[in-house]
Amino acid sequence: MSEKILGKCRRFLGSLAHMRKLQMQVIKADEKSVTVVLPVQDQLLSSELDTYMHGGVLTTLVDTATSLSTIPALKEYELCPTLDLRIDYMSAPVTSQPMYAHAECYRVTRNVLFTRATVYQENPSKPVAYAISTFMRPGAGNTDLAFKALVDGVEETV
Amino acid sequence: MDLLQQRVNQAHASGDYQPVIDLIPYAGVLGVQCERFGEEMIFRLPRNVDNIGNPTIPAIHGGVIASFMELTAAFQLTLQLEHPALAKIIDFSVDYMRAGLDRDTFAMCTVERQGRRVANCSIIAWQERKSQPIASARGHFLLDSFSSLT
């Protein structure tokens, strides 16, 4: 089951241009939660300033992780637009270490999905940020079929 | 410390804000630009296939829009502070109102209140019309800890 979820998450992530550009990867996915990593990379390093001026890239990581956490929460893939996203910053991330986001979808209703995420670096018990995000469900039949097929994959029907 | 001060002063003098924006690598990855119109600064996120997050519409990645708005607030503050510094973000909250289509996006930040320690910012982002924003956001920034500047 986890394999299947991991596959779905990876295919979803792999289909997004911006994620490829940032080399973001799903490292863990199961029925409950998803963990995504943003590797250390030259394009995000500055020789002039250090640490938190990663600036908005943490936001992109969180949005991606929470959005991925909707995948295990739903039986069939639905492309859910984000309604809102809030991030609280606990401490400044450093550019010398990868950044991880652990996200879970903790409540599913007919129309809305509620998710939360924790962002950390070396030590998962010392988060650099907490986030919550809600998503709207598009309703049956409103997800592009080709994209749904791409995310769901064909492995189980072969 | 005064690399930032220098760049901000130069930018205000020349009207070319790119050297300030280039200080933040992710702003460069996204392709953020800035233009000044009198007292107002408008930030632009040019159309870029690398920023797509929903290939079916296609639409810009929600995280990219939020990051762009966060950067808009950070730059606006940096540029309007008496002693320019990169303010530290405390929290950030964004509401998405419309899909960000695959075209240029604009954003503006209003500093609602600038206290001694905290600045309250509100940001809107739009594409075709400012009266039809694609997202609005609020964020708080800490002004009294500039220690991470080298």
Side-chain angles (χ1 to χ4, degrees), chain A residues 61-112:
Chain A
L61 175 68
V62 166
D63 187 80
T64 306
T66 51
S67 161
L68 275 165
S69 75
T70 64
I71 291 179
L74 298 170
K75 257 199 209 124
E76 287 193 24
Y77 179 70
E78 296 175 27
L79 207 171
C80 305
T82 322
L83 197 59
D84 73 356
L85 169 69
R86 173 183 168 113
I87 305 179
D88 290 325
Y89 293 82
M90 301 296 117
S91 61
V94 294
T95 49
S96 56
Q97 285 170 23
M99 196 148 55
Y100 301 89
H102 176 84
E104 60 169 346
C105 179
Y106 63 96
R107 169 95 175 122
V108 179
T109 71
R110 201 146 43 94
N111 291 307
V112 181

Side-chain angles (χ1 to χ4, degrees), chain A residues 8 11 148-157:
Chain A
K8 273 194 195 185
R11 284 189 291 272
K148 181 174 177 302
L150 185 136
V151 173
D152 282 338
V154 286
E155 59 200 5
E156 61 265 51
T157 57

Side-chain angles (χ1 to χ4, degrees), chain A:
Chain A
M1 184 61 190
S2 289
E3 287 291 303
K4 206 172 133 191
I5 292 171
L6 190 63
K8 273 194 195 185
C9 291
R10 291 207 161 132
R11 284 189 291 272
F12 172 72
L13 206 62
S15 71
L16 307 184
H18 196 62
M19 304 300 99
R20 291 196 297 266
K21 172 127 190 167
L22 294 174
Q23 302 154 45
M24 253 184 228
Q25 281 152 24
V26 185
I27 52 170
K28 199 169 152 276
D30 56 32
E31 288 81 354
K32 284 206 164 126
S33 65
V34 176
T35 308
V36 185
V37 62
L38 175 76
V40 173
Q41 50 199 286
D42 286 348
Q43 62 178 348
L44 297 177
L45 302 181
S46 156
S47 55
E48 293 156 317
L49 296 169
D50 75 356
T51 71
Y52 65 85
M53 279 305 149
H54 252 101
V57 74
L58 188 149
T59 313
T60 304
L61 175 68
V62 166
D63 187 80
T64 306
T66 51
S67 161
L68 275 165
S69 75
T70 64
I71 291 179
L74 298 170
K75 257 199 209 124
E76 287 193 24
Y77 179 70
E78 296 175 27
L79 207 171
C80 305
T82 322
L83 197 59
D84 73 356
L85 169 69
R86 173 183 168 113
I87 305 179
D88 290 325
Y89 293 82
M90 301 296 117
S91 61
V94 294
T95 49
S96 56
Q97 285 170 23
M99 196 148 55
Y100 301 89
H102 176 84
E104 60 169 346
C105 179
Y106 63 96
R107 169 95 175 122
V108 179
T109 71
R110 201 146 43 94
N111 291 307
V112 181
L113 299 166
F114 297 87
T115 69
R116 58 188 161 214
T118 310
V119 184
Y120 58 90
Q121 292 194 297
E122 204 170 16
N123 183 353
S125 60
K126 270 198 170 169
V128 294
Y130 290 107
I132 53 169
S133 183
T134 49
F135 294 85
M136 279 310 286
R137 293 180 70 172
N142 285 334
T143 296
D144 184 88
L145 285 178
F147 191 63
K148 181 174 177 302
L150 185 136
V151 173
D152 282 338
V154 286
E155 59 200 5
E156 61 265 51
T157 57
V158 174

Side-chain angles (χ1 to χ4, degrees), chain B residues 80-147:
Chain B
Q80 79 172 58
L81 287 173
E82 201 175 323
H83 301 289
L86 290 169
K88 202 168 173 176
I89 186 157
I90 303 170
D91 61 40
F92 195 77
S93 169
V94 52
D95 281 2
Y96 296 97
M97 293 178 282
R98 291 176 178 82
L101 302 178
D102 183 21
R103 53 173 77 135
D104 287 10
T105 307
F106 304 92
M108 246 181 91
C109 164
T110 311
V111 180
E112 305 286 357
R113 177 172 187 273
Q114 187 185 316
R116 195 164 48 82
R117 292 193 297 170
V118 171
N120 305 49
C121 298
S122 65
I123 306 105
I124 63 159
W126 72 95
Q127 291 187 323
E128 296 258 281
R129 289 195 182 84
K130 200 173 155 198
S131 58
Q132 295 180 342
I134 59 164
S136 80
R138 287 184 332 118
H140 294 100
F141 289 83
L142 195 62
L143 300 174
D144 73 348
S145 69
F146 300 142
S147 51

